Amino acid sequence: MSQEQEFLSRLASAHSQALEGLQSIAVQLEAGASGDDESINASKLTQEFNVWKERYVGKKAPVASLKKELGLLDPASRRHAGAELNRVRDELLDRAQELGERLVSARLGTLQSSSRIDMTELALDSFRGHIHLITQTRDELEDVFIGMGYSIQEGPEVETDWYNFEALNIPPDHPARGMFDTFYLKESVRGTQDGDRPSSSSSNKLLLRTHTSPVQIHTMSEYKPPIYMVAPGKVYRRDTPDARHIPIFNQIEGLVVDKNITFADLAGTIESFTTKYFGQDIHSRLRPAFFPFTEPSAEFEITCAICSGSGCRTCSGTGWIELGGCGMVDPNVFEHVGIDPEVWSGFAFGFGIDRCAQMRHSLVDMRVLLANDVRFLEQF
Amino acid sequence: MKVSLNWMREFAPIESSPSEVRDILDDIGLVVESVTSIGAGLDRVVVCQVLDISPIEGADKIRKITVTDGSEKLQIVCGAWNFAVGDKVPLAKIGAILPGGFEIARRKMKNVESNGMLCSAQELDLEKHGIEPTDGILVLDSNAEVGRDLVDELSIVPDTIFELELEPNRPDAMSIAGVARDIAARLKIPFRPPWVGNKQLPSVVFNRVDSQDFLVNHCPDLADRFGVWILDNVKVVQSPQWLKQRLISCGQRPINSVVDVSNYIMLEIGQPTHPYDRTKLRGGGLVVRRALPAEKVVTLDSIERTLGPIVDVSENTDDCVICDSLGSPVGIAGIMGGYSSQIDAETSGILLEAAHFSPMAIARTSKRLGLRTDASVRFERGCDPNAIELAAIRFIELLESVGSIDLGKTYRVDFDGFNIEQQLERLKVHLRPKRLNQILGTEITPGEVIETLESIDFTSEVVDDEALEVAIPTFRPDCDREIDLIEEVIRIKGYSTVERRVPSSPFVGALDLYQKRRRQLRQVLALGAKASEAATSSLVDISDGELFGLDYPMIGLENPLSVNESHLRASLVPGLVRAIGYNLDRLSLGNRLFEIGHLFVGDERGKYISEYEALCVVFDFEKSTDSVRLLEELVGIYRTIVGGIGSVDCKLEATSYVGFVHGSVSSVTMDGVVIGKIGEIEEEVCRQLGVRTRSVGALEILTGWKFALGGRTELTTGLLTANSQVWGSAWIPSPFPSAQFDLAFVVDEAVASSQITSVLTNLCVSSDLSGIRHKIQLYDVYRDKSLPKGTRSLTYSIRLEPSTATLSDDEIAKFRQELIASVEKTQLAKLRLAT
Ligand SMILES: [Zn+2]
């Protein structure tokens, strides 16, 4: 046998072995796809295929070593044997590529049919509980003032007449009492201790606080200035509920007592809070008002967000919406808590937490806050 | 309080537009509620005369009217039938825009052209101009001038009315002149009060009679200044149109010249007066005194009012009555006159009263009677005590000008010992301009301070370098301190003139630990326990509380709005169960609600009260024969809370509570103190609270905030106050292997697993293996027929973490024996299996 014949015969043998291996994988793949043999697994065949590739088309494959032997042949045989070798190599590469592609699609197909899990079925509505709108509003307001160096103070909802009225410069029969519709507790009920308050019977009368302002008195009685605090909480007015008023609502009170605190500081603080909470386009203005426990006193109004200040029905054409009251702490209040008004000065402010929520979310009827309907609660 | 711009212009040359005036009023604290334009919408409305009325073919409701407006004949289609040929009626011409915004255009009805509209009083909104609405077209006076503008024919003066919402401390602003004074001060224009240049009346002692015949004042403390004038030869007439219009536009109904003038003066200068028909006053004069017990008087509105002390005769009353000379009441001082002496068409002589009453006394009487009048509101806020004579002079002057009296027959009654002309001294208060700037944060000069105060009639004198002495006008009873003057200066100058600064707090703002943990608790509840936060009413029906047999009486309100809201809640549970019921009724199932709020606990006698903050979680659950699944759910929530907030010291102890299913409820304790309860609510209780179809589980735990009235806020044992922040050293996991084994015990059903847990824990703590970290967990509960009846198997896993050396097998075995022995010694359990 000539060198050339021997070369061609070894090539033919390598060729047929390679084809055999390839054929075996192809047949198994076919069986698996048609469902005839369930034990056939595309990933396992892929591994087998990788071994085949290593053996027949890799660097150590027979075809590769035969190629190195081409140089030993005489030139005429070399050309013929070389052409034959290239033909065999190309055929194997083509068929390997084709089978490789079939294997990849078989693996994808496997996942899509048999072991498929509908994960969208598992991702039901993202169920969670919801923190109340008013709490969220309160927390956000607290955070604005915490950022300005204030602490959060809390007081009781049942108060004595002294804390709710008298210490705030509203003596019995003062016309300003008409501003508050007060719930009183039954006469027979009292506080657990008499404490340090005047002991006249009218001062000890118990009531549900009509504003958060009594916390001013508690705080100034307990701490020495400087004081920077806000006091959020529930307040009560004896008012039949309607769309705009509910008898139990939430206010936040602010109090600053320090040296050289002025009306200018009050105006600046209100403006600073307004832009921080409502946004850069919302501003504040103060106009004269009357509160017995502050002087000078002011109502504060903020830009009407509905018309951006140009005037609309909500703001009665003024471009402003009333938000709360404020003023410089009245010297009489300081005297009630033993702070010298010639040394210290301060300002106080108060406004509705519910009202802030109402303005942000256009609550047309405040009574929705009384019902606790989960369909309402779950949107916040 | 309504004020007319025209009227104010009599006192100050206000040239600003109505909208500018509105802004000024708002900015000086006289808040404008609404603005009304008088005379608006009457352009192109003229007087016309009806020339001919003829039917329209095929129409039985409308007719063809021919009118003249003086220059041309016009054909109008009209549906009203209440006028005749020759009548003079208002015609809205083409292009007129009526008060409602309706524009008149040429129209065709039944093929007949209509060139305008004949109008009714309503269509022209004439009620606010004092024209009573009538049915049909307004038929004008036969003297009306055809072609004339209706506004002129009806003497309607275009005007702007501001409705003000006044603060209770500004009685002076309850008058046209008072409001004008403030506007003039802001605009820096002169203010000319109506009384300047008025003539003085002859002071005549009536036939030399003693003034005692006209007035006896028994209570000068209630009526501290009281003047009486006698007007004879009175003719009661209709007020002129201009006067009527002013009254109507400011909210008063015209009645007759005498009453109208009294009202006019009150609106103008804020001082009420009261005219009596002198012929109806027995004895011809007045006696002022305190009301007798249960004394009755019929007021102008024909209602009988009861005055004086009603029960206790010895009780003094501040009700002040005005009586005739024989002592019968003819009015309630400062509030409302009596029916018997009222002015009517026949009145020929008047006794005029102008007085000043104690504001507090008027306020109390008015409140007790539930009778608020224009007079009482002014008196209780504080009228100017120096305005009495002025009011009388204005009254007499104006009544003369409308032709109701003859000045020659008008007398002032002079009294011994009281001279009405004698003005009260002005209060003087020191003002330090430096202090003013310290409070306001401004740099206002003393000169500006003086000038600003002067503009509202506060006169100043310089005392020294530091202070001014300011004389406060008697119409400003609200001002009596330095701070009041500071407010007046900045009110008139304008709050917006103050610059804005932000004070810098010397503190770092932060929540305290309790507040931080409360926020954390809400997150745990919403995201961990998947409960939504509710906010139920603190005011409840007492029977809601009684369903739970609350240990202490609930606190009642003196003046509740309704029985449903008559008591303070002593628990959050009933309110939340009701909220669950509300949602079940709206087809929401599986509701899980929580609330963190205050509750109010009375002592045994309901006499003393303490206020606590508490957490409550309530949920509804499918009804079933046993409570196991509901309790699993409930305890799951409890574990989420306790785990989430880190209050590991909380313990459950089986107990029983009214309102909860027996055997399905535990107390929650911490440090040996009961701080809450957790369990399934009885079916009947649920039903009473509006939940019929589902079972309800609830837990309520005190969070630790407490307030005892008269005391201070304090923190006591509670969910959020446990584990106060202590910086303990960190435990570093040991390099030595840990040991783990399980112990299974057979335990009687009556014994709580927690009891076994605490025996095991106690041993671990006390054992000589101290220094070894331990972890004890109940990890399996097993019930089976193979176990003795009434018992179950509890399996505990025990894990030991040595820190200094590996535990030997002997040590572990010994320790295990000790654990088993300690449990068995209690006779609560028997070992079943040890692995
Ligand atoms: Zn607006």
Side-chain angles (χ1 to χ4, degrees):
Chain A
M1 207 161 43
S2 73
Q3 266 189 317
E4 186 192 343
Q5 278 172 326
E6 197 215 328
F7 183 93
L8 289 176
S9 123
R10 281 166 57 203
L11 179 65
S13 144
H15 185 203
S16 64
Q17 275 178 33
L19 285 181
E20 217 169 276
L22 209 56
Q23 188 63 24
S24 150
I25 295 171
V27 167
Q28 288 183 69
L29 183 61
E30 203 63 36
S34 65
D36 293 349
D37 185 346
E38 286 179 5
S39 70
I40 302 298
N41 172 316
S43 17
K44 223 164 144 193
L45 284 179
T46 306
Q47 278 176 28
E48 216 171 293
F49 174 63
N50 288 338
V51 172
W52 177 89
K53 274 204 295 194
E54 178 83 26
R55 184 176 299 162
Y56 296 106
V57 293
K59 282 179 185 143
K60 288 173 186 167
V63 177
S65 37
L66 281 170
K67 190 174 181 183
K68 288 176 193 155
E69 290 174 29
L70 272 179
L72 302 175
L73 298 182
D74 60 72
S77 308
R78 195 187 304 164
R79 187 174 304 113
H80 177 243
E84 185 61 17
L85 183 120
N86 284 344
R87 187 190 65 77
V88 168
R89 190 198 59 197
D90 290 350
E91 185 197 338
L92 289 179
L93 283 175
D94 283 353
R95 296 186 68 164
Q97 164 131 14
E98 184 218 9
L99 184 65
E101 281 165 10
R102 278 172 64 201
L103 275 168
V104 169
S105 59
R107 288 175 69 193
L108 291 175
T110 307
L111 282 176
Q112 275 165 10
S113 56
S114 68
S115 54
R116 193 187 81 160
I117 294 175
D118 179 5
M119 287 173 73
T120 65
E121 261 176 26
L122 305 177
L124 298 173
D125 291 349
S126 55
F127 176 70
R128 64 168 171 101
H130 298 258
I131 293 177
H132 200 280
L133 169 64
I134 297 303
T135 306
Q136 292 186 34
T137 310
R138 169 181 161 157
D139 287 354
E140 203 179 327
L141 291 168
E142 285 179 357
D143 290 343
V144 168
F145 287 104
I146 285 171
M148 294 165 81
Y150 289 55
S151 69
I152 313 295
Q153 298 293 326
E154 291 169 52
E157 291 166 20
V158 170
E159 276 292 1
T160 59
D161 191 274
W162 194 78
Y163 278 102
N164 196 71
F165 290 127
E166 287 177 50
L168 290 162
N169 205 26
I170 317 174
D173 290 324
H174 191 283
R177 291 219 175 182
M179 294 159 68
F180 306 101
D181 292 306
T182 312
F183 280 118
Y184 287 96
L185 270 59
K186 283 225 155 60
E187 290 280 357
S188 54
V189 187
R190 311 186 26 208
T192 46
Q193 306 151 40
D194 280 329
D196 51 355
R197 291 160 297 113
S199 55
S200 85
S201 61
S202 74
S203 302
N204 279 329
K205 207 166 161 49
L206 294 183
L207 46 82
L208 290 170
R209 67 176 174 191
T210 56
H211 46 185
T212 40
S213 308
V215 186
Q216 285 185 34
I217 305 300
H218 288 295
T219 306
M220 287 191 282
S221 309
E222 197 158 336
Y223 304 101
K224 293 283 147 246
I227 292 169
Y228 289 76
M229 72 89 171
V230 287
K234 236 184 218 187
V235 301
Y236 300 78
R237 299 274 169 93
R238 195 177 178 282
D239 239 345
T240 312
D242 61 29
R244 295 184 56 209
H245 307 91
I246 47 180
I248 305 179
F249 56 101
N250 294 272
Q251 274 188 344
I252 186 164
E253 187 84 9
L255 174 71
V256 168
V257 182
D258 205 342
K259 286 187 173 141
N260 300 316
I261 293 292
T262 67
F263 195 76
D265 292 308
L266 169 61
T269 299
I270 296 288
E271 174 69 10
S272 178
F273 149 74
T274 303
T275 50
K276 277 190 180 122
Y277 179 76
F278 289 102
Q280 289 303 317
D281 298 333
I282 305 291
H283 297 282
S284 64
R285 72 168 186 183
L286 304 186
R287 54 171 178 68
F290 168 72
F291 305 108
F293 38 98
T294 51
E295 188 152 357
S297 299
E299 294 274 8
F300 68 91
E301 297 177 312
I302 62 167
T303 315
C304 173
I306 291 171
C307 63
S308 306
S310 59
C312 67
R313 278 181 59 172
T314 306
C315 57
S316 317
T318 61
W320 296 94
I321 298 269
E322 189 181 315
L323 188 64
C326 61
M328 300 301 292
V329 178
D330 194 289
N332 289 351
V333 174
F334 276 144
E335 270 155 32
H336 280 134
V337 293
I339 290 177
D340 183 353
E342 289 289 321
V343 178
W344 302 97
S345 56
F347 62 74
F349 56 83
F351 55 92
I353 296 174
D354 309 52
R355 183 134 174 76
C356 290
Q358 179 197 26
M359 287 166 71
R360 272 209 181 161
H361 297 283
S362 315
L363 300 181
V364 288
D365 191 335
M366 297 293 272
R367 284 169 293 192
V368 73
L369 295 173
L370 305 175
N372 294 303
D373 191 314
V374 292
R375 295 167 298 177
F376 175 75
L377 300 176
E378 284 172 359
Q379 48 180 328
F380 301 106
Chain B
M1 168 81 196
K2 290 178 173 171
V3 294
S4 140
L5 184 53
N6 284 351
W7 202 341
M8 289 196 290
R9 282 180 173 143
E10 289 185 6
F11 312 127
I14 302 167
E15 286 169 7
S16 315
S17 71
S19 78
E20 286 164 342
V21 172
R22 178 192 187 143
D23 289 345
I24 291 169
L25 287 167
D26 276 341
D27 206 48
I28 54 177
L30 307 175
V31 178
V32 177
E33 288 270 276
S34 65
V35 182
T36 311
S37 291
I38 299 285
L42 297 181
D43 285 352
R44 301 186 64 81
V45 180
V46 300
V47 178
C48 70
Q49 187 165 27
V50 179
L51 300 177
D52 177 64
I53 301 176
S54 51
I56 296 172
E57 203 174 316
D60 53 0
K61 294 232 169 69
I62 51 174
R63 299 184 294 180
K64 185 168 78 183
I65 318 292
T66 309
V67 299
T68 173
D69 66 358
S71 54
E72 58 174 333
K73 280 188 187 177
L74 292 161
Q75 174 183 296
I76 313 282
V77 177
C78 181
W81 293 65
N82 68 314
F83 53 89
V85 171
D87 279 352
K88 292 171 181 168
V89 294
L91 166 69
K93 293 174 137 183
I94 306 293
I97 299 170
L98 298 188
F102 179 67
E103 186 172 352
I104 306 297
R106 183 167 287 118
R107 296 203 296 156
K108 251 187 182 174
M109 281 173 278
K110 295 277 175 191
N111 253 344
V112 180
E113 197 165 86
S114 185
N115 298 297
M117 178 176 146
L118 305 184
C119 303
S120 69
Q122 286 97 319
E123 283 157 344
L124 298 173
D125 197 14
L126 291 176
E127 200 171 353
K128 70 181 178 193
H129 306 126
I131 312 284
E132 295 287 327
T134 50
D135 286 339
I137 300 301
L138 175 67
V139 178
L140 298 163
D141 193 276
S142 57
N143 295 324
E145 186 186 321
V146 174
R148 198 178 180 200
D149 283 342
L150 186 72
V151 170
D152 297 334
E153 183 59 42
L154 295 178
S155 309
I156 291 169
V157 185
D159 195 0
T160 305
I161 306 298
F162 302 95
E163 177 151 25
L164 306 181
E165 185 197 351
L166 295 173
E167 302 283 7
N169 67 332
R170 289 295 307 279
D172 66 299
M174 296 199 74
S175 67
I176 306 288
V179 175
R181 181 193 296 116
D182 267 13
I183 295 176
R186 167 57 67 87
L187 290 171
K188 298 189 173 169
I189 56 174
F191 171 67
R192 284 177 282 99
W195 43 91
V196 169
N198 281 317
K199 39 196 171 292
Q200 290 289 306
L201 294 169
S203 172
V204 178
V205 177
F206 197 54
N207 274 344
R208 299 172 50 83
V209 291
D210 197 319
S211 62
Q212 290 276 320
D213 289 352
F214 297 99
L215 182 72
V216 180
N217 187 349
H218 289 299
C219 50
D221 58 326
L222 301 182
D224 53 5
R225 293 169 73 80
F226 206 108
V228 166
W229 287 259
I230 305 295
L231 289 72
D232 279 344
N233 240 359
V234 174
K235 208 165 63 205
V236 177
V237 295
Q238 284 272 304
S239 297
Q241 180 58 32
W242 68 267
L243 198 156
K244 282 186 181 176
Q245 189 196 321
R246 281 203 171 164
L247 289 181
I248 290 163
S249 60
C250 293
Q252 294 281 344
R253 196 163 55 90
I255 294 168
N256 59 46
S257 56
V258 176
V259 174
D260 292 352
V261 165
S262 174
N263 284 332
Y264 188 93
I265 300 306
M266 178 182 70
L267 294 177
E268 183 175 79
I269 63 173
Q271 171 67 46
T273 55
H274 188 74
Y276 298 85
D277 185 329
R278 210 161 82 80
T279 55
K280 295 177 188 164
L281 283 178
R282 296 183 306 155
L286 299 179
V287 173
V288 184
R289 61 165 169 80
R290 284 188 150 75
L292 302 172
E295 188 158 23
K296 303 250 189 317
V297 56
V298 178
T299 43
L300 274 174
D301 49 10
S302 1
I303 295 173
E304 186 183 75
R305 316 271 176 180
T306 306
L307 299 163
I310 290 166
V311 186
D312 186 356
V313 180
S314 66
E315 194 185 316
N316 212 359
T317 175
D318 284 345
D319 292 347
C320 179
V321 286
I322 313 291
C323 306
D324 61 24
S325 299
L326 304 187
S328 300
V330 293
I332 306 171
I335 299 179
M336 195 182 265
Y339 185 80
S340 61
S341 56
Q342 67 178 312
I343 306 295
D344 58 32
E346 265 71 64
T347 298
S348 60
I350 293 173
L351 185 151
L352 179 72
E353 163 202 310
H356 182 262
F357 299 104
S358 152
M360 287 293 205
I362 298 290
R364 276 193 290 267
T365 303
S366 157
K367 194 175 168 195
R368 202 174 48 70
L369 294 176
L371 181 59
R372 273 169 74 84
T373 61
D374 291 313
S376 76
V377 169
R378 286 172 172 82
F379 280 125
E380 75 177 48
R381 291 180 177 193
C383 287
D384 181 0
N386 284 345
I388 291 172
E389 192 185 24
L390 169 68
I393 293 172
R394 281 291 287 150
F395 177 88
I396 292 163
E397 192 183 51
L398 196 54
L399 205 55
E400 189 213 9
S401 80
V402 303
S404 263
I405 51 162
D406 170 0
L407 270 191
K409 296 277 190 178
T410 298
Y411 310 93
R412 187 180 74 212
V413 177
D414 284 347
F415 304 98
D416 295 336
F418 171 58
N419 182 359
I420 199 81
E421 276 182 329
Q422 195 180 333
Q423 300 277 292
L424 282 187
E425 282 283 308
R426 288 182 165 209
L427 181 69
K428 294 196 168 105
V429 170
H430 278 211
L431 169 62
R432 294 162 292 170
K434 194 175 154 209
R435 171 79 175 163
L436 177 141
N437 287 317
Q438 263 172 10
I439 292 287
L440 298 176
T442 48
E443 284 166 7
I444 302 173
T445 64
E448 284 176 276
V449 171
I450 293 171
E451 193 187 324
T452 307
L453 288 172
E454 187 69 43
S455 69
I456 45 171
D457 207 11
F458 289 60
T459 48
S460 312
E461 269 178 46
V462 177
V463 178
D464 53 33
D465 289 352
E466 293 284 300
L468 306 172
E469 186 180 70
V470 180
I472 295 170
T474 50
F475 54 78
R476 289 301 301 270
D478 57 309
C479 290
D480 56 9
R481 299 176 300 162
E482 184 181 38
I483 193 71
D484 301 326
L485 301 174
I486 293 173
E487 180 175 61
E488 283 308 298
V489 170
I490 198 60
R491 185 177 70 84
I492 295 302
K493 288 188 77 72
Y495 282 6
S496 58
T497 61
V498 178
E499 67 162 307
R500 293 170 169 194
R501 287 195 290 268
V502 179
S504 74
S505 164
F507 305 109
V508 174
L511 295 174
D512 66 25
L513 184 59
Y514 179 87
Q515 290 162 343
K516 269 184 207 153
R517 300 193 71 203
R518 187 172 50 200
R519 284 202 187 175
Q520 187 188 346
L521 176 59
R522 284 197 167 92
Q523 295 289 342
V524 167
L525 285 157
L527 304 180
K530 304 199 188 299
S532 283
E533 188 178 19
T536 65
S537 179
S538 322
L539 303 177
V540 297
D541 191 328
I542 189 170
S543 61
D544 281 9
E546 283 167 350
L547 292 173
F548 292 90
L550 295 170
D551 298 343
Y552 299 107
M554 288 165 75
I555 306 295
L557 292 182
E558 191 71 46
N559 55 343
L561 278 173
S562 73
V563 180
N564 291 343
E565 298 176 326
S566 59
H567 284 73
L568 295 179
R569 62 182 177 188
S571 162
L572 306 182
V573 176
L576 278 181
V577 178
R578 281 201 182 278
I580 294 277
Y582 177 95
N583 285 295
L584 289 174
D585 289 347
R586 283 157 186 77
L587 305 178
S588 296
L589 288 189
N591 304 286
R592 195 179 274 194
L593 295 177
F594 81 89
E595 180 169 6
I596 298 173
H598 288 195
L599 46 82
F600 307 86
V601 183
D603 68 350
E604 294 84 344
R605 290 162 298 158
K607 201 173 168 198
Y608 293 98
I609 180 170
S610 297
E611 189 170 332
Y612 296 88
E613 189 160 60
L615 158 72
C616 183
V617 184
V618 171
F619 64 93
D620 64 270
F621 200 79
E622 206 177 315
K623 277 197 176 180
S624 80
T625 47
D626 67 47
S627 303
V628 175
R629 285 184 47 233
L630 182 143
L631 292 181
E632 270 174 11
E633 183 106 350
L634 180 58
V635 173
I637 294 172
Y638 167 80
R639 287 177 56 179
T640 304
I641 295 168
V642 167
I645 204 74
S647 296
V648 286
D649 297 339
C650 285
K651 290 192 177 69
L652 298 184
E653 273 173 28
T655 179
S656 59
Y657 285 113
V658 179
F660 286 81
V661 175
H662 188 68
S664 296
V665 58
S666 290
S667 63
V668 180
T669 61
M670 182 184 277
D671 302 337
V673 181
V674 175
I675 59 165
K677 53 179 82 164
I678 170 169
E680 180 182 357
I681 295 176
E682 269 178 7
E683 199 172 343
E684 174 58 18
V685 171
C686 289
R687 207 185 56 74
Q688 300 262 350
L689 294 172
V691 177
R692 283 164 200 86
T693 53
R694 306 268 292 177
S695 295
V696 173
L699 68 83
E700 182 171 44
I701 308 177
L702 297 179
T703 49
W705 184 96
K706 180 186 178 186
F707 191 92
L709 274 164
R712 289 176 170 182
T713 304
E714 53 179 300
L715 293 181
T716 64
T717 312
L719 190 62
L720 299 178
T721 49
N723 315 340
S724 58
Q725 208 159 13
V726 181
W727 305 114
S729 331
W731 179 76
I732 309 295
S734 158
F736 303 101
S738 49
Q740 182 164 346
F741 52 86
D742 294 347
L743 298 175
F745 296 97
V746 177
V747 185
D748 196 278
E749 292 281 8
V751 176
S753 76
S754 62
Q755 289 175 268
I756 309 296
T757 313
S758 49
V759 172
L760 293 169
T761 307
N762 288 342
L763 187 93
C764 287
V765 172
S766 65
S767 139
D768 22 314
L769 291 171
S770 61
I772 294 176
R773 249 175 94 91
H774 64 269
K775 189 173 176 190
I776 298 167
Q777 259 183 315
L778 172 67
Y779 87 87
D780 187 37
V781 180
Y782 161 74
R783 288 182 173 83
D784 192 76
K785 278 180 252 155
S786 65
L787 296 171
K789 205 165 184 240
T791 68
R792 83 282 204 203
S793 163
L794 302 177
T795 307
Y796 290 87
S797 138
I798 289 127
R799 188 181 165 106
L800 302 171
E801 313 269 9
S803 54
T804 51
T806 307
L807 285 169
S808 69
D809 289 350
D810 286 350
E811 282 171 313
I812 295 169
K814 179 168 168 272
F815 187 61
R816 186 161 56 188
Q817 277 316 310
E818 281 177 26
L819 284 171
I820 295 166
S822 71
V823 171
E824 291 195 324
K825 198 172 73 190
T826 61
Q827 306 199 327
L828 295 172
K830 269 207 159 67
L831 184 72
R832 189 174 68 85
L833 206 63
T835 54

